[in-house]
Amino acid sequence: MSMACGDQLGRRPVVVEAGGLLRDPEKTLRALCAALDLDFQQSMLSWEPGPRPEDGCWAAWWYASVHASNGWRKAEDGATPRNGHVEELPPLSPQLQAVLEQCLPVYEKLKKHAINL
């Protein structure tokens, strides 16, 4: 899949793995900037709490913890992206388990190209 995207773009897409971003935000953002030929700025690691105009129409539902934050919080070892720490997740319904099983091979292929593992 990432190769098909790369063929259409003329280059391999940049893949960032969320767990790696939470474990080491600065390293990941530096790698992302390098991959995109952008200058890393220290200001990418912290911000003023609160909403922003560019948050979009879904901000009220998706960004509560972002709006309350003022920077990246490093995750614990073995943490999941959910809130930056390990949580027990509820079992999936059969329908969602089927979706997971279809998506997981694509995720694993993309993950091999992540810049931040």
Side-chain angles (χ1 to χ4, degrees):
M1 175 162 154
S2 65
M3 293 308 177
C5 292
D7 292 343
Q8 292 176 2
L9 295 171
R11 59 184 163 77
R12 178 178 281 169
V14 178
V15 178
V16 175
E17 202 275 323
L21 176 62
L22 290 173
R23 282 187 297 280
D24 197 338
E26 182 170 349
K27 179 180 176 184
T28 298
L29 291 172
R30 285 184 181 279
L32 177 60
C33 287
L36 297 173
D37 198 27
L38 298 170
D39 292 330
F40 171 80
Q41 297 176 11
Q42 200 67 30
S43 62
M44 295 174 176
L45 299 173
S46 62
W47 50 84
E48 292 296 321
R52 289 168 187 56
E54 62 271 14
D55 286 345
C57 63
W58 295 103
W61 291 273
W62 290 353
Y63 296 160
S65 62
V66 173
H67 290 165
S69 72
N70 63 356
W72 294 97
R73 184 178 68 188
K74 284 192 176 184
E76 302 166 9
D77 285 339
T80 65
R82 188 179 175 99
N83 295 326
H85 56 85
V86 176
E87 292 183 6
E88 187 65 33
L89 299 176
L92 296 175
S93 69
Q95 294 86 358
L96 290 179
Q97 185 65 39
V99 171
L100 173 64
E101 289 170 10
Q102 286 182 320
C103 294
L104 200 53
V106 176
Y107 168 79
E108 292 298 334
K109 284 181 184 178
L110 288 170
K111 186 177 176 180
K112 290 178 185 176
H113 302 286
I115 62 173
N116 64 326
L117 292 176

